[in-house]
Amino acid sequence: MAGPVRTGQQPEEAHQDPGRRAGRPGPGPLPHADVRRGEGPGRGPQVDGRAGCGGAWRTGPPEPGADRAGEGAGRALRADHAGTGAAGERPGGAGGGASDEDGVRMEVKEPSAQYLSSREQQLTEIGPLPADWSVSTVGDEFHVQLGKMLDTEKNVGTPKPFLGNRAVQWGRIDVTDVGEIRLSTSELQRYRLVDGDLLVCEGGEVGRSAIWRDQLEECYYQKALHRLRAKRGYSQEFMAAVLEQFARGGMLQNYVTQTSIAHLPKEKFVALPIPKPSTADEQRGISQAVGDADALISSLEQLLTKKRQIKQGAMQELLTGKRRLPGFQGNWGEATFADVAFIDPENLSSGTPAGFSFNYIALEGVNQGRLDSFAELQFENAPSRARRVLRDGDVLVSTVRPNLKSHLLLDTLLGNWIASTGFSVVRCKPNIACPGFLFALLFSEVVEQQIDTLLTGSNYPAINGRDVANLAFTCPPFDEQVAIARALSDMDEEISALESRLTKVRALKQAMAQALLTGRIRLVEPNL
């Protein structure tokens, strides 16, 4: 019987306590994974990030600039709910920024606005709106023009740069993804982009949009994009925010033509009803509030990318001895995994009692250091691959498609845990190898290159326990292994705090946008 399964984002409280924080996704692996049953209905397994050597690890709050990274200085927000004066919430806290180890400092600022709940509402075809708002359509508010059809045989004229569907992402345009198309004299005028044009994806992720800001001196666009130009002052920024909210809420589905991929044809797009605030100032204010939140998200994403890059670089240097931690010196020795650990030391036999109960980890339940799911089984109904016996500190090495790096490090296991034979179990020899160090090695170039060599020319992307045993590396003394694992764990603590904060800010932004774009919450002047 399948047991509790946790997939994706963990509960908020799991992020707040470093001793019970969820396993983190992304390119950087967890230095350790502590799997335990949740304390309460629906909690499921929890996976902690730790050093993985039984020694001390950081248990206090993240260093300054980690969990609070991105908390900028914004004005307080207000919400007057039917005159009660209840305090509203804002996405963020006190001011601050974050400094990287290499001296790079990135300021991350909070959006700033003030809000007031809307009292008088009217029911419209797109839901409740304030009484002083109206419902318009895309066609009434914008000139809508599809781009130039790509046809190398028929297109003639002057070669010009153009944007395709992939170049338009939510809120930004990737000008590195620019092609070239031939345009006639009349087409040069018809399809040229000007500052402020709103580009909307017609196919694929319909509704995805961004505003052209003259990123290139001259540029055009192809038929996979709609270009919107306002007829009578409707804000392009407001329209972009509406489209994002409609797309994420599924409100565009009734206007989409579905073949092999989704399309939003012009005749349906122009009929799309959209909210229209009573004044241009309110449109601009809402757009600014949503834009501030987007800017905060973008800043956090950039900071997170920088932290991951720093951690990846540190891994390659620390795990190979190119960079030494303070207090350590002397030479490292050459070793294989078999020299410092036992490989697949315990397996269930066919004589295991039928009623033996255990938690089973399958290959698909692990994702780069994170346990996404497991099953509660008895031996009599378990798959034949359920054989690897697990103990505290064991390292699971994915031997099937190992290039996907579905490896896991376990600690503080409660109850019986069994893994699929699609994993090889690495159990460190006491005081010789640190589990956190060996686990980090699995994500390093040193081991990755050896695995790639083993897979070259193979019809099936897999390795075996013998291959794992022969993985070679330069081995530092045990105490230095522990220190390296702790250093990498500290970096992962900071990355995890940023990931948690980014998830929260994204959720708050969506909630704020929904409230503002429907008029449920209204902007007010600062002096009110």
Side-chain angles (χ1 to χ4, degrees), residues 24-90:
R24 61 209 69 146
L30 271 176
H32 204 264
D34 173 2
V35 184
R36 66 186 77 181
R37 291 298 306 278
E39 299 173 353
R43 289 290 299 276
Q46 300 203 356
V47 184
D48 288 0
R50 296 182 180 174
C53 297
W57 51 73
R58 181 157 61 83
T59 57
E63 297 295 329
D67 190 44
R68 298 185 62 84
E71 295 186 354
R75 296 197 302 267
L77 309 184
R78 295 170 40 199
D80 181 3
H81 297 286
T84 63
E89 294 183 356
R90 69 185 180 91

Side-chain angles (χ1 to χ4, degrees), residues 91-103:
S99 297
D100 286 329
E101 291 84 343
D102 59 0

Side-chain angles (χ1 to χ4, degrees), residues 12 15-18 21 58 60-72 92-94 97-98 110 300 303 307 490 492-502 504-505:
E12 183 171 313
H15 293 284
Q16 292 173 339
D17 183 351
R21 204 182 59 247
R58 181 157 61 83
E63 297 295 329
D67 190 44
R68 298 185 62 84
E71 295 186 354
E110 297 286 352
L300 286 171
L303 183 57
K307 293 292 184 183
D490 285 347
D492 273 334
E493 292 271 349
E494 190 170 9
I495 289 171
S496 182
L498 282 171
E499 289 171 339
S500 175
R501 175 155 179 73
L502 180 58
K504 294 174 186 176
V505 171

